[in-house]
Amino acid sequence: MEGDECSSSFPMGETAQETGLSTHVPECYVIPTSHRPSLNPETADVPVIDLVGFRDSSSRRSVTVNDIGNACRRYGFFQITNHGIDQFVLDGALSSAFDFFRLPTEEKSKFMSNDVHKPVRYGTSLKDGVDKIQFWRVFLKHYAYPLEDWVMSWPENPPAYREQMGRYAAEVRKLALEITGAITESLGIGAKYLSNKMEEGMQVMAVNCYPPCPQPGLALGLPSHSDYGCLTILLQSTTSLEILDTKDGKWRAVPELKGTLHVHVGDHVEVLSNGRYKSVVHRATLHKERTRISIASLHSLGMDEKMETAEELVDEEHPKGYKESSFRDFLNFLAKNDLAEGKGFIETLKIQ
């Protein structure tokens, strides 16, 4: 490490992660000792759920729904196989993401913004030059539903980006709606409980690039957090995702299984379920020698549609534990708070 280098001394396009520093991590990226990742973490024993038969009306569907409910209750996280999205589509999305982040700085900077309310924006860390601790990533975020309303505002370079990312966005949204139905069914409130609201809801694609880091034990790609919406489906080129096990408070690495997608329970499902299902706390660690791409498809109700606890899940033994909130409420929280300081959005929703 060298002196008191900080992110404000790095213009956009010249941050440590963008320029590929190979010898040290600047001071402003170094996280407190208590939050540093292990270079040899334990592996998480997370559920892997096979969706073969999930779309049938047979008993196999009910078994799968039950498995999803158990995974949501225990971990707030699970991996899925036989999800129905062709490997060609997955590979195309990842390829287009890699190609975008290889573009010259002036091309990417067209989308540069710290305004979390913008529907298409490029950035580094969380909020460039604002947060006290910076994070070793670059990202492109864009709204994706209705696709025809947003796709023309996405990058036109690389030339295949809109087509390949758009194809994946459409496919993963269908999957997210099905899984949301399975989650509400597992709660005993019916598969259609959220279907109308989710049909009109938001989809945000967070395309993340985590370049090689010379000292991966000192920095993070993203700090500890949970996702705001109903659920997130994650596609990644390689693993470096860790989840917090609530039973013992330990961070464990999510295993890498080719062709799987990862499902994160979000804050709004925790609210809906009155705390029966918890949103998963997770973080992104780093590699010393390889770049990791992750594509998180985040699904929620509409911008101003409030998620509230299902009345069916409130009784004397389970009093209402959460306030209602919307996607816009989350954006306003994000604009005013530094996630690295540890306070999550879900904490603001709990009724004390």
Side-chain angles (χ1 to χ4, degrees), residues 19-241:
T19 55
L21 278 187
S22 59
T23 58
H24 72 284
V25 169
E27 188 69 33
C28 59
Y29 291 81
V30 176
I31 61 175
T33 303
S34 59
H35 297 298
R36 291 179 189 173
S38 168
L39 295 179
N40 295 289
E42 296 179 31
T43 299
D45 182 23
V46 297
V48 179
I49 297 176
D50 190 336
L51 295 187
V52 164
F54 172 63
R55 296 171 178 89
D56 299 342
S57 58
S58 65
S59 59
R60 294 174 73 182
R61 175 183 166 81
S62 62
V63 169
T64 304
V65 168
N66 186 62
D67 288 344
I68 288 174
N70 289 336
C72 291
R73 188 175 297 108
R74 169 65 181 90
Y75 294 96
F77 178 89
F78 52 96
Q79 295 172 295
I80 50 176
T81 60
N82 291 309
H83 41 69
I85 303 180
D86 192 275
Q87 190 64 44
F88 169 78
V89 176
L90 305 182
D91 291 344
L94 288 170
S95 174
S96 66
F98 271 108
D99 288 345
F100 173 80
F101 290 113
R102 292 190 188 106
L103 291 173
T105 297
E106 57 268 22
E107 190 70 25
K108 292 178 289 190
S109 66
K110 295 175 183 177
F111 303 96
M112 185 72 181
S113 177
N114 262 344
D115 182 357
V116 299
H117 296 86
K118 278 206 166 186
V120 182
R121 67 187 185 101
Y122 170 80
T124 69
S125 185
L126 288 170
K127 288 179 282 188
D128 298 296
V130 176
D131 296 324
K132 294 176 183 176
I133 297 176
Q134 296 294 297
F135 295 93
W136 202 272
R137 74 153 181 170
V138 290
F139 68 86
L140 176 70
K141 288 185 179 180
H142 47 67
Y143 293 179
Y145 184 81
L147 186 61
E148 60 272 18
D149 289 355
W150 296 113
V151 69
M152 297 309 290
S153 63
W154 295 3
E156 56 184 346
N157 284 317
Y161 186 89
R162 291 175 178 175
E163 178 185 355
Q164 292 179 324
M165 193 63 71
R167 184 185 298 121
Y168 174 67
E171 291 290 315
V172 77
R173 183 175 182 275
K174 293 176 190 174
L175 180 61
L177 294 177
E178 290 181 303
I179 293 175
T180 301
I183 289 173
T184 57
E185 185 176 344
S186 73
L187 284 166
I189 55 178
K192 302 291 187 181
Y193 189 88
L194 287 178
S195 58
N196 289 339
K197 290 182 178 179
M198 289 295 287
E199 281 286 351
E200 301 300 320
M202 300 284 296
Q203 179 184 15
V204 179
M205 307 295 289
V207 187
N208 300 296
C209 175
Y210 304 97
C213 177
Q215 296 169 294
L218 296 183
L220 283 171
L222 275 178
S224 167
H225 68 286
S226 60
D227 293 340
Y228 65 85
C230 293
L231 59 85
T232 300
I233 298 181
L234 184 76
L235 166 66
Q236 55 184 358
S237 63
T238 187
T239 191
S240 240
L241 176 68

